Amino acid sequence: MPAENPAAAPAAPGPDVLRRTEGRAGFLTLDRPRAINALTHPMVRALDAALADWADDPAVTTVVLRGAGERGLCAGGDIRAIHDDARAGGTASAAFWRDEYRLNARIARYPKPYVALMDGIVMGGGVGVSAHGSVRVVTERSRIAMPETGIGFVPDVGGTWLLGRAPGELGTHLALTGAQIGAADALLTGLADHHVPAAALDALAADLPRLPVDEALARHTTPPAPGVLAEQREWIDACYSAATVEEIVERLLDSGVPAAKETADTLLAKSPTALKATLTVLRAARALDSLEAVLDLEYRASCAALTSHDLVEGIRAQVVDKDRNPRWDPAALAGVTEADVARYLTPPPGGDLGLAAG
């Protein structure tokens, strides 16, 4: 974090979100460093309240989002809490998603520059509070991913909107595999706008309260190190343009490209139901004309996943017991029916999110 300015307004108390103003900037810091700043429901509400307050405040011309600690901006939502809620048949997760997705939409439509410093780990819900912003800054330490299929879930927080608009089939590849990408690939796929060395983030944050955003960025941006997706684009586009997950896997295995075969093995370790639901939701998202409509769609998918076997099992294997050996049901792609996938597009018992109609 930047050194405190003695003239800066004092930080307001909040639920793991530090809020302060300095000069013309409002700073929001996610403050759960031991959990890589994983989002809780109170944190989502605190972020939303701050943005609502500052939207019409003439003293705040720029908003800056950071993460406390050295590990990353945000590792996502608190999936252990989601696991416990799903096991209990509760409604807390659906309530969390309602507020989280509304926050994602607010960020995307924010009337002032929203500068997200996407240093370190930025995954799942962390992408939702950063990649919808108007100014997305990555560093050489950035590791960005939507890893939901590995826990029996579907990319949410507007992730299918973002990935569905990546060049070619790069977004499909990232959505299905959950692969982590660095700075250059984040720029290529449209998840980020600028690269700034991690060592220069404090200086950038110190400039933002006193300079226009473009001027502050111009002082610190540098070209990123080369990524990997540009070189893989040919086989990714060819394989992921298939109509079904089964055909995607078949094309990957038959491509003759070692990296493609490794990717097929990666896919076959994910939740078969989550893979098929993700491909369906991602392609439906491509046909929608607004982030709000996509968030409505993702809310349906998230609520369906909450009542599935695979979400509880996936979180158990990856986070609770950490045996890394999920027992998916169905265990293979062939066992996932059209009705299984259709559930992810069906309005939940508690009603739709309704953002697009708002």
Side-chain angles (χ1 to χ4, degrees):
M1 290 181 64
E4 287 291 333
N5 183 333
D16 298 320
V17 174
L18 304 180
R19 168 179 169 175
R20 68 183 179 90
T21 57
E22 179 181 340
R24 298 182 297 183
F27 286 85
L28 294 169
T29 302
L30 307 180
D31 192 31
R32 293 184 71 204
R34 293 181 62 185
I36 321 181
N37 305 312
L39 294 172
T40 64
H41 202 163
M43 291 171 72
V44 165
R45 290 191 182 120
L47 290 170
D48 193 68
L51 293 178
D53 289 345
W54 288 339
D56 298 318
D57 185 347
V60 175
T61 59
T62 302
V63 173
V64 184
L65 179 74
R66 300 196 75 173
E70 299 298 320
R71 299 169 68 190
L73 172 67
C74 177
D78 188 341
I79 60 173
R80 186 180 288 264
I82 293 172
H83 169 271
D84 294 345
D85 185 47
R87 286 191 65 190
T91 59
S93 297
F96 168 67
W97 291 323
R98 278 186 172 271
D99 287 344
E100 184 183 26
Y101 300 173
R102 291 180 187 281
L103 171 64
N104 301 146
R106 183 189 291 277
I107 290 168
R109 307 297 182 211
Y110 206 62
K112 300 176 181 182
Y114 179 98
V115 183
L117 304 184
M118 301 168 70
D119 185 37
I121 291 173
V122 186
M123 297 185 182
V127 173
V129 295
S130 59
H132 295 299
S134 54
V135 183
R136 292 92 47 93
V137 177
V138 285
T139 77
E140 75 281 1
R141 294 165 15 106
S142 295
R143 295 296 178 268
I144 301 170
M146 295 298 293
E148 285 77 8
T149 57
I151 58 166
F153 199 50
V154 174
D156 66 337
V157 298
T160 62
W161 169 264
L162 295 165
L163 295 177
R165 281 150 182 77
E169 296 294 337
L170 294 180
T172 311
H173 170 67
L174 296 178
L176 294 182
T177 63
Q180 297 182 24
I181 59 173
D185 289 333
L187 295 170
L188 172 64
T189 54
L191 296 177
D193 307 299
H194 308 278
H195 172 264
V196 171
L201 285 183
D202 284 352
L204 171 62
D207 284 341
L208 286 168
R210 61 189 184 85
L211 294 175
V213 172
D214 289 347
E215 287 186 32
L217 284 167
R219 292 173 168 233
H220 305 290
T221 53
T222 63
V228 299
L229 290 181
E231 293 184 357
Q232 298 177 337
R233 174 80 186 273
E234 183 176 357
W235 65 260
I236 287 175
D237 285 355
C239 294
Y240 285 94
S241 61
T244 65
V245 178
E246 288 94 334
E247 189 179 349
I248 289 171
V249 171
E250 184 178 339
R251 290 187 185 185
L252 290 168
L253 291 172
D254 292 345
S255 69
V257 179
K261 184 182 184 304
E262 292 174 8
T263 298
D265 293 337
T266 296
L267 290 179
L268 291 172
K270 307 296 183 183
S271 159
T273 303
L275 287 175
K276 287 197 172 185
T278 294
L279 185 63
T280 298
V281 172
L282 182 71
R283 290 188 170 165
R286 282 179 173 170
L288 297 175
D289 60 2
S290 72
L291 170 62
E292 287 80 2
V294 172
L295 288 166
D296 286 345
L297 177 65
E298 290 178 349
Y299 182 73
R300 292 182 174 189
S302 297
C303 290
L306 190 64
T307 61
S308 72
H309 165 276
D310 280 8
L311 179 61
V312 171
E313 173 60 13
I315 299 175
R316 178 207 65 76
Q318 299 297 336
V319 177
V320 180
D321 297 337
K322 299 183 180 179
D323 59 28
R324 307 292 191 266
N325 185 33
R327 295 179 287 275
W328 307 121
D329 184 18
L333 290 166
V336 182
T337 67
E338 291 184 7
D340 292 333
V341 176
R343 228 172 44 85
Y344 287 75
L345 305 177
T346 303
D352 274 330
L353 182 61
L355 265 177

